[in-house]
Amino acid sequence: MAYALGARVVALCGGVGGAKLAYGLSRVLPPEELCIIVNTGDDFEHFGLHISPDIDTVTYTLADIAHVGQGWGRGEEQWTVMQELERLGGASWFKLGDRDIALHLIRTQMLRVGQSLSEVTARLAAKLNVRHAILPMSDDEVRTVIETDKGDLAFQDYFVRRRCEPRVRGLRYVGADQAKIPLEVARALDDKSLRGVIICPSNPYLSIEPILAVADLRVRLQNLSAPVLAVSPIVGGLALKGPAAKMMDELGDHNGALGIARMFRDFIDALLIDKQDAALESHRIATDPRLLMADIVMGSLDARIELAGSCVAYLDEMRQGH
Ligand code: FO1
């Protein structure tokens, strides 16, 4: 079935792993055929600056200026402000590079004069020569709170300061039910020529669930006629990066990648898993989404592009009813 020109793929994306696939998609699809909805539940105020880690990770990654090893922050960076801050006794647990601080200063100023996070994100992305649409999941404040054996923790306190060590008992996405979906996001999902939705391989609890919690986004995805394909962030029972597997154990969502399929089974048509997890097919039950195979470990830029191409091809196959 030929799709209307400009048929768009919508990608839901969070931290470092998700940004890698977003990079691949941006090299496979032109700007008018892709929009990336990014988690803002990790946002926080630090030294009076509004920091949007996942938006910055996606923006830097698509702009080819991300720190490749780390995933977050910039590759070309100096740390003179951080060093002086430390000497003066300021909090140094959250590492802010000099160039990164410049972006936070401008974002904070633009927000303060009343610009929306969507407008600020689009302006900064354009300045960094990113041509694809990077859309915050909401312009309203949503904050992920992690309920742990050390009490309720703000996201960066859990993730960075305490290095994900506390045992997780639950999560809350404060503000999500009052938050609104940005018009551009609603338009992309309501677009009759929507080619499909890709859930990038991000932490389900920390990066994808906050997006789904905004207003009626999850219901919109449940009711989509276009296909929804999730890419597993778990390979061989382990998270490729971050605490996803540890959190699944702590929250009782076992079964590795199959656990991801079950968490999202109310709105995904299929989960893309790595070939090494092919045996999970024998554990699938009738209510589980389909499992599709690919090489999903993105060890190089080419692998990101390769995986993105496979995802789009699977969407087209699913739309043609295969
Ligand atoms: N992650 C860390 O583990 N340590 C840091 O010092 C750190 C600083 C940082 C600064 C800017 C930014 O955009 C992201 C940063 N991150 C850091 C990553 C961040 O905590 C995570 O990428 C997301 O919040 C979850 O994916």
Side-chain angles (χ1 to χ4, degrees), residues 32-43:
E32 65 276 9
E33 292 184 24
L34 172 65
C35 85
I36 302 161
I37 302 175
V38 183
N39 167 46
T40 57
D42 301 0
D43 288 19

Side-chain angles (χ1 to χ4, degrees), residues 14-17 39 42-44 51-57 60 70-73 79 92-97 100 104 107 155-156 159-161 163 206-207:
V16 172
N39 167 46
D42 301 0
D43 288 19
F44 75 132
I51 296 176
S52 298
D54 282 357
I55 287 181
D56 295 349
T57 296
Y60 289 159
Q70 252 169 208
W72 53 267
W79 301 90
S92 60
W93 58 275
F94 195 78
K95 305 295 178 223
L96 290 167
D100 199 30
H104 304 316
R107 173 166 49 223
F155 179 88
Q156 298 299 347
F159 192 84
V160 178
R161 199 174 194 163
R163 292 187 302 282
L206 302 180
S207 299

Side-chain angles (χ1 to χ4, degrees), residues 157-167 206 242-243 246 250:
D157 187 356
Y158 164 76
F159 192 84
V160 178
R161 199 174 194 163
R162 298 167 189 259
R163 292 187 302 282
C164 310
E165 282 154 12
R167 298 186 59 73
L206 302 180
K246 173 178 179 286
E250 289 163 356

Side-chain angles (χ1 to χ4, degrees), residues 64-273:
D64 265 323
I65 58 172
H67 186 295
V68 180
Q70 252 169 208
W72 53 267
R74 294 168 181 234
E76 296 294 310
E77 191 56 281
Q78 266 91 30
W79 301 90
T80 54
V81 174
M82 209 73 228
Q83 282 152 11
E84 187 58 16
L85 196 67
E86 212 148 6
R87 200 169 73 85
L88 297 172
S92 60
W93 58 275
F94 195 78
K95 305 295 178 223
L96 290 167
D98 297 355
R99 292 190 172 87
D100 199 30
I101 289 171
L103 185 141
H104 304 316
L105 286 170
I106 296 180
R107 173 166 49 223
T108 302
Q109 184 191 47
M110 290 168 83
L111 291 170
R112 192 171 291 143
V113 298
Q115 308 221 8
S116 69
L117 187 57
S118 297
E119 285 163 346
V120 171
T121 302
R123 289 261 186 106
L124 292 172
K127 286 283 181 197
L128 292 171
N129 302 317
V130 173
R131 295 169 53 240
H132 289 78
I134 298 174
L135 308 174
M137 70 191 197
S138 180
D139 287 332
D140 302 311
E141 179 173 305
V142 180
R143 293 293 174 266
T144 299
V145 171
I146 323 276
E147 297 162 358
T148 78
D149 58 343
K150 299 282 186 288
D152 288 3
L153 302 175
F155 179 88
Q156 298 299 347
D157 187 356
Y158 164 76
F159 192 84
V160 178
R161 199 174 194 163
R162 298 167 189 259
R163 292 187 302 282
C164 310
E165 282 154 12
R167 298 186 59 73
V168 177
R169 297 195 174 127
L171 298 103
R172 296 197 309 275
Y173 308 115
V174 178
D177 32 20
Q178 291 90 12
K180 288 184 295 308
I181 299 173
L183 189 59
E184 177 64 21
V185 170
R187 271 205 203 112
L189 291 173
D190 292 345
D191 188 333
K192 290 290 161 279
S193 69
L194 179 68
R195 197 169 178 184
V197 175
I198 292 172
I199 310 297
C200 294
S202 304
N203 184 306
Y205 308 103
L206 302 180
S207 299
I208 303 299
E209 291 286 354
I211 302 175
L212 300 171
V214 173
D216 62 346
L217 190 66
R218 193 175 193 122
V219 171
R220 282 171 180 260
L221 294 182
Q222 289 165 349
N223 298 334
L224 273 187
S225 54
V228 180
L229 172 68
V231 179
S232 176
I234 303 284
V235 173
L238 298 172
L240 292 174
K241 191 169 175 68
K246 173 178 179 286
M247 292 177 75
M248 289 179 83
D249 284 345
E250 289 163 356
L251 291 164
D253 292 323
H254 303 293
N255 306 303
L258 206 51
I260 301 285
R262 290 173 181 162
M263 285 170 70
F264 294 158
R265 70 169 168 223
D266 57 307
F267 69 92
I268 67 171
D269 299 290
L271 177 75
L272 193 55
I273 61 174

